[in-house]
Amino acid sequence: MNHRLTTQNGAPIADDQNSLSAGARGGLMLQDWQLIEKLAHFNRERIPERVVHAKGSGAYGTFTLNKDLSDYTIADHFQGVGKQTEVFLRFSTVGGEAGSADAERDPRGFAVRFYTANGNHDVVGNNTPVFFLRDGIKFPDFIHTQKRNPQTNLKDPQAMWDFWSLTPEALHQITILMSDRGIPANYRTMNGYGSHTFSLWNANGERFWVKFHFKTKQGIKNLSNEQADVIKGIDPDHAQRDLFGAIEDGDFPKWSVNVQIMPEADADSYHLNPFDLTKVWPHKDYPLIEIGELELNRNPENYFNEVEQAAFAPSNLVPGVGASPDKMLQARLFAYADAQRHRVGTNYNQLPVNCPHASKPQHYQPAGAMAGTGCPFHGADADRGSSVNYGPNSQQGPAQSPTMAEPPLRIDGDMARFDKTVEDDYQQAGDLFRMMNPEQQQQLFDTIAGTLSQASAEVQQRMLGHFAEADSAYAAGIEQAIAKLK
Ligand code: NDP
């Protein structure tokens, strides 16, 4: 009896192999609600795929703190050496559709959720420490150039390079993307970065700016263009296979977790804008401080439930961790939770992968589609169906935690749309180029030439001007590589 097949209303099914028909050969009966339920549900088995980061892989694990950060933050997962916090990590490519190949040259998403005792903290980053843009207002246009041409429905090197040639702030990230690290061998052999500047604040109300770095303990391994082309054909899901298989075999991937910390006041005098997502903080200015280890050790039971419906948002912050004035981060604080409400549904935070595992959600927003699921980690208690749904109230409803208030942030200046040209776009792209050995530089030239040569002469010239600003040898190498293709 335990294993009896039922319809969705729980009624036992007598025959699930033969439709109800008028005669042995006949048409089917509208009254076969069992058939209709099966077909209708099947039609609804997909949710909208993510506009970006559609193809992904995920796993659960553990973050172990090995350096107490209570001087900097009250965040629970950063208190006390040895503290362990459950995590969920989703890796992804960015531009391709849900069925695209894992071995594309593309940034990789690296989204980490810490299920802390004071709520979920999401660090929704990439495998690169910077990004193509410093202002979210450009993001939809940028992604249009990475997706398909509206007429041909093909990837469009002209659109891609046209946009980049008119957006010099992209040069640093272009240099990383086209470098030998542009196609990681799999998700285990790459670093992750929170990329944005976030803030930490401590019990004394002091604020520090922070960047998160996750350094692979498997060693950096990458694919050449030729290797990737072969893998894309043989096994488009190779990174998913690699991650799932490694965890299944008990070969748990690990990353060291590091931070760079800047006292709040330094931001005013630092020689670069520390909130500009197209720039790193050079290590010599703010060295990496290792604070712990992240290990992935458990595969999800159900891909759709736990990976497809995983709803990360940079706005998932917890007391002790805050945002920063980074304009890309500010845009993402809105855009991600909004995307999840659209993609998964209003109550996406009630699903098991999304709800706070280690802290009980208690709030006054109870209704909306699919309400009443409650967070299964808190039992019947989590579904406060009959409880008061407004605050303040005199019914002992959930109360505020004034001791966890973020310290005020001083801001000044005129409200305006500030010109991007006040920032330097070339220095750090050039620094990375100059760090590369001749073989890495040649690989960079050849990879860029491969697609830039498909853009118009005007776009090529504009791009060469940017490469020359970063380093004259950078531009010369690309020019020669393009000439070789003619
Ligand atoms: P450092 O010499 O202290 O550090 C260089 C960093 O570059 C290392 O973290 C290294 O990673 C990483 N790196 C090496 N090759 C590549 C590549 N092809 N793509 C991406 N990262 C790479 O230098 P600085 O801190 O002064 O930074 C110099 C340049 O290094 C920057 O302009 C930036 O492009 C790059 N970089 C800097 C980072 C930072 O946070 N400061 C982080 C990542 C890159 P690993 O240690 O794993 O080998």
Side-chain angles (χ1 to χ4, degrees), residues 52-53 111 124-126 139 196 311-315 328-329 331-343 348:
V52 284
H53 297 274
V124 193
N126 281 331
F139 188 78
H196 297 288
F312 287 90
S315 50
M328 271 301 298
L329 174 61
R332 295 178 79 211
L333 292 174
F334 157 73
Y336 276 64
D338 184 59
Q340 310 301 5
R341 289 183 194 104
H342 160 67
R343 194 177 68 86
Y348 68 93

Side-chain angles (χ1 to χ4, degrees), residues 129 172 179-181 191 213 215 280-283 428 432 435:
H172 191 188
S179 80
D180 57 340
R181 294 199 187 182
N191 293 338
H213 300 247
K215 297 271 223 173
V280 297
W281 300 352
H283 292 136
Q428 293 198 348
L432 178 60
M435 255 173 40

Side-chain angles (χ1 to χ4, degrees), residues 381-408:
D381 225 16
D383 183 8
R384 305 176 56 259
S386 61
S387 311
V388 57
N389 64 354
Y390 61 87
N393 62 68
S394 51
Q395 301 181 46
Q396 279 75 51
Q400 301 172 149
S401 306
T403 58
M404 292 189 176
E406 185 168 351

